[in-house]
């Protein structure tokens, strides 16, 4: 069933001008960042110990005691540092990407297996914005996840990202412009004209 048409002045072909990526929130990245900090500290201590004065306890522990270890301290430092960097980079692969063609959802499944799901704007039948909470003059805070009802009858929840309000506003702006049913609102867009959508139309096909 075709979506109801909008009054004149609404552009059903509207699309964002550029690609915007929303990574995971900081609280979800903290464990890997903490691991990276520990890896840097240990690797730095090992490197320093290899160049420390020969009569220092650190030189004796890192260099002289290596003869009793299965794995040298330098190899351990390399493995620890590389694993921490890989973990941080892999964690950054998660998130939501909004581009002119639609939405890309990047996830990490069990054992770190990546999964990418893409939906064009025409495949989205409804955008559901969670309730917002505002205190004083501060920006509203979304309490919940943004939901998408898809063309095939399924629905999905977008994961928390580092800027939920900005993501919700972008999706709300697109939904208003393309006549995609919208459930809920951020309260930040009074109408489509105020959002400046009319002046950013996609080129004719």
């Amino acid at each position: 069933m075709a979506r109801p048409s909008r009054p004149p002045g609404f552009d059903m072909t509207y699309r964002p001008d550029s690609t915007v990526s929303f990574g995971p929130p900081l609280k979800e990245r903290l464990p890997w960042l903490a691991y990276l900090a520990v890896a840097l500290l240990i690797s730095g201590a090992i490197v320093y110990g290899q160049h420390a004065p020969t009569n220092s306890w650190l030189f004796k522990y890192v260099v002289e005691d290596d003869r009793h270890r299965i794995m040298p301290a330098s190899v351990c430092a390399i493995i620890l540092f590389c694993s921490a960097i890989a973990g941080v980079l892999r964690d950054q692969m998660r998130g939501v990407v909004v581009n002119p063609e639609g939405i890309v959802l990047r996830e990490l499944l069990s054992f770190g297996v990546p999964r990418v799901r893409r939906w064009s704007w025409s495949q989205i039948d409804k955008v559901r914005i969670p309730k917002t909470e505002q205190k004083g003059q501060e920006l509203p805070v979304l309490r919940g996840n943004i939901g998408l009802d898809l063309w095939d009858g399924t629905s999905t929840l977008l994961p928390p990202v580092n800027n939920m309000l900005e993501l919700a506003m972008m999706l709300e702006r697109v939904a208003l412009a393309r006549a995609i049913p919208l459930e809920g609102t951020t309260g930040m867009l009074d109408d489509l004209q105020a959002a400046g959508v009319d002046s950013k139309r996609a080129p004719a096909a």
Side-chain angles (χ1 to χ4, degrees):
M1 180 182 295
R3 299 192 184 106
S5 61
R6 287 286 192 179
F10 287 80
D11 190 352
M12 295 286 287
T13 62
Y14 167 76
R15 61 187 65 185
D17 291 335
S18 60
T19 297
V20 182
S21 299
F22 297 89
L26 180 59
K27 64 180 181 180
E28 294 185 9
R29 296 170 53 200
L30 282 178
W32 280 111
L33 293 176
Y35 177 51
L36 177 60
V38 172
L40 288 173
L41 182 63
I42 295 176
S43 300
I46 292 175
V47 172
Y48 176 76
Q50 293 174 337
H51 299 84
T54 56
N55 59 347
S56 66
W57 70 269
L58 189 57
F59 179 86
K60 294 179 180 179
Y61 180 79
V62 172
V63 178
E64 294 182 2
D65 289 350
D66 254 3
R67 64 174 68 97
H68 305 299
R69 299 189 181 103
I70 298 177
M71 180 183 299
S74 57
V75 176
C76 179
I78 293 173
I79 294 176
L80 186 63
F81 177 75
C82 291
S83 65
I85 291 293
V88 171
L89 293 178
R90 186 187 65 175
D91 195 51
Q92 282 296 104
M93 292 172 60
R94 298 185 296 126
V96 179
V97 179
V98 179
N99 59 48
E101 304 303 325
I103 298 176
V104 179
L105 176 58
R106 302 180 300 189
E107 303 169 288
L108 287 178
L109 304 180
S110 300
F111 304 106
V113 178
R115 180 174 70 171
V116 178
R117 291 188 284 172
R118 295 180 173 87
W119 302 286
S120 64
W121 298 119
S122 60
Q123 291 179 305
I124 300 175
D125 282 343
K126 179 185 285 189
V127 176
R128 290 181 279 112
I129 307 294
K131 294 182 178 180
T132 58
E133 181 179 302
Q134 186 169 6
K135 297 181 180 179
Q137 300 298 320
E138 298 180 359
L139 292 174
V141 177
L142 273 66
R143 299 300 183 185
N145 295 73
I146 300 171
L148 302 176
D149 292 343
L150 306 175
W151 63 280
D152 58 359
T154 62
S155 61
T156 188
L157 293 176
L158 300 182
V161 295
N162 53 6
N163 195 334
M164 286 287 292
L165 181 60
E166 183 179 349
L167 174 60
M169 289 175 61
M170 290 188 67
L171 297 181
E172 184 177 0
R173 185 180 293 114
V174 173
L176 289 172
R178 299 182 68 93
I180 299 174
L182 185 62
E183 180 182 311
T185 177
T186 61
M188 300 294 290
L189 301 179
D190 293 333
D191 52 46
L192 193 60
Q193 182 67 33
V197 171
D198 294 5
S199 61
K200 299 180 180 179
R201 301 186 179 185

